[in-house]
Amino acid sequence: FDMDGTLVDTEHLWLQAELLTMLRLGGEWTPVDQQHCLGGPLERVVEYMAGKGDPGIVSELTEQGVGEFLISTIEGLLLAEQVSWQPGARALVCEVVDLGIPTGLVTASWRRLIDAVHVSIAGDLGFEPFTVIIGGDEVPQSKPHPAPYLQAAALLGLAPADCLVIEDSPTGVASGLAAGCRVVAVPHLAPVAAAERLTVIDGLDGWSIESLWRAAITPAAAR
């Protein structure tokens, strides 16, 4: 599973953090900018933001400082709010755990942000739902590179072709496909282009893990 936008509804918090960061940088931020940066990785977002900010302010902060400001801001927002599940996501995660299927949380967010969200997820469920967790700062290259999903598959002891990736962003979809996995996309802020081994659905609500696998193997079964 991807995290932000796929399992949990955090994109509005990311937008707040991006707006506050750009205000600090003396620049503007629009929904088009948010869509462009959807799915990360953080390094790409920071570089993009630095390019839109006031050169003098950015120079004073340095790109590393811009990244720290963004991370600290979103971390505070995540800890201050009970993060809500995306429709159908909680039931799907519980079903997968009940069936004993090994699961990975694979996200471009850094570990400290995963921990902030995990407070809400584990607290709500009352148990740890993920067999492995891969953060964007724990791989040589983050999404859209295949490394995150390759590492998750290896830790699960599975071939990538035997893994089903659930994503929401073009960046995450590209990562899962490049790793050789089957991918189900649930886009909501940015469209996802058709591709081999990719199935696009309009939401997780009403889907079981079996029906998702069937749709991934036979895309015509998706809706």
Side-chain angles (χ1 to χ4, degrees), residues 33-107:
D33 296 312
Q34 183 192 24
Q35 182 175 327
H36 176 77
C37 293
L38 186 67
L42 186 69
E43 294 82 358
R44 179 175 72 93
V45 177
V46 169
E47 182 180 2
Y48 181 81
M49 298 183 102
K52 288 182 63 69
D54 179 278
I57 298 176
V58 173
S59 178
E60 289 178 7
L61 286 177
T62 72
E63 285 193 13
Q64 183 178 1
V66 174
E68 177 56 35
F69 187 92
L70 175 61
I71 291 175
S72 296
T73 302
I74 184 63
E75 182 180 27
L77 293 171
L78 290 169
L79 289 171
E81 179 175 311
Q82 177 69 30
V83 176
S84 60
W85 293 92
Q86 291 285 55
R90 187 184 190 279
L92 184 62
V93 169
C94 288
E95 181 197 14
V96 170
V97 173
D98 286 344
L99 291 172
I101 298 173
T103 60
L105 183 69
V106 183
T107 173

Side-chain angles (χ1 to χ4, degrees), residues 94-176:
C94 288
E95 181 197 14
V96 170
V97 173
D98 286 344
L99 291 172
I101 298 173
T103 60
L105 183 69
V106 183
T107 173
S109 287
W110 287 15
R111 174 60 67 162
R112 59 193 279 196
L113 302 183
I114 298 172
D115 291 343
V117 173
H118 196 267
V119 170
S120 292
I121 290 180
D124 174 59
L125 294 176
F127 57 84
E128 171 55 67
F130 307 114
T131 311
V132 299
I133 298 177
I134 307 294
D137 57 338
E138 298 171 333
V139 287
Q141 291 178 276
S142 190
K143 303 174 186 180
H145 194 274
Y149 282 111
L150 289 174
Q151 183 168 319
L155 289 174
L156 291 172
L158 298 169
D162 293 329
C163 297
L164 180 65
V165 166
I166 303 176
E167 274 280 357
D168 74 308
S169 71
T171 301
V173 166
S175 176

